[in-house]
Amino acid sequence: MVLMAVTVTEGSKMAGMDDQRTTVAVVSPGYMGAGLGGALRAGGARVVATVAGRSARTGRLAGRAGLELLPTLDDVVAVADVVLSVTPPGDAIDAAVAIRAAADRAGVAPVVADLNAVSPATMGRIAAELKGLVLVDGSISGPPPSARPGARVYLAGEGADVVAGLPWAGQVEPVVLAGAVGTASALKMCTGGVYKGLTALITQAMRTAGAYGVLDAVVDDLARNGLAQTAGVARSATKAGRFVDEMLEISATQESAGLTPDVYAAIAAVYRDVAGTRLAGADPEQERELTAAEVVALLSRPVGDRPA
């Protein structure tokens, strides 16, 4: 099947909605969710979220983005025209269950856009949980607009034009794909696999080079080909825990396509190992100037603490 992408221009009419101010709920307002919410708020939308049961960091990010915080998920879903589900991949199904339950309790039927990095098969399970609601299959390519404007949000399925037509304030580029639910997730499994897979390979190469005393020479050689990603390796380490689930989703997607699942199962193991290092505990939004040697040192596990 050929996928035809059409970029939707800012301010396009949202099907099924009037000209009143649109209310968008973000579940939940972490690094990416708060960034998307901030962009929509800048565009004129009312953006609501809850930080009930969430970390202090999530509360800080939501506050920094200027989101309107409500007491519970029920309160958030009850007032929403559109709900954006932005969670770690391993939490996507639970989030769908919670959103559906909240919608049922409130007697509302918002458009739900699942923007999580999951396989088409997992998106199918999410669709089953949200049956009766309009589900938009979505995926995000790029950092949060709060870090750098220009991320693409790929959208597929009924209601894709509604999400594409939200007031993204020029900070996000919505792209509607020709295809049913699962199409945007399939795209993410391909592109995310390249971006995060390459970073995992460079991470593994740098750690190996450090062990053999050739780190400077390796980084210099990678730089000749535009592959010296010291800052990217450090940043990815802070999100390694959630990357494990994403790599496993990619592995399952490739297996469903008749390909070996082993490549991304191995990359998941790399990120699982990285998630146990000192660098993994840093905040993703905190930019730090680290040398390659400092990154490799922080990617070292304590003596005697090796993965099983």
Side-chain angles (χ1 to χ4, degrees), residues 137-306:
D137 170 29
S139 63
I140 305 165
S141 180
S146 51
R148 186 178 74 242
R152 280 189 169 185
V153 175
Y154 292 96
L155 304 160
E158 181 186 1
D161 287 339
V162 172
V163 180
L166 292 173
W168 293 106
Q171 299 182 41
V172 170
E173 180 186 359
V175 179
V176 175
L177 298 172
V181 166
T183 302
S185 291
L187 182 148
K188 177 66 175 182
M189 295 294 92
C190 297
T191 58
V194 172
Y195 301 139
K196 296 181 180 71
L198 179 59
T199 300
L201 294 178
I202 294 171
T203 300
Q204 200 79 333
M206 287 177 61
R207 297 177 80 187
T208 304
Y212 281 92
V214 292
L215 179 60
D216 288 344
V218 166
V219 171
D220 179 68
D221 194 75
L222 291 174
R224 293 173 61 243
N225 295 286
L227 294 173
Q229 298 182 11
T230 301
V233 167
R235 192 179 308 110
S236 291
T238 67
K239 298 178 281 187
R242 70 173 57 195
F243 286 176
V244 173
D245 286 332
E246 184 174 343
M247 296 305 103
L248 293 176
E249 292 284 329
I250 295 172
S251 177
T253 302
Q254 295 194 346
E255 184 173 28
S256 295
L259 306 172
T260 176
D262 295 343
V263 175
Y264 283 90
I267 291 176
V270 171
Y271 279 121
R272 187 179 295 112
D273 185 34
V274 170
T277 66
R278 289 171 288 172
L279 191 53
D283 287 343
E285 68 269 19
Q286 181 184 0
E287 293 289 343
R288 296 193 293 171
E289 294 293 334
L290 297 172
T291 66
E294 289 170 333
V295 169
V296 168
L298 289 169
L299 286 171
S300 299
R301 286 174 171 268
V303 175
D305 182 13
R306 291 287 183 260

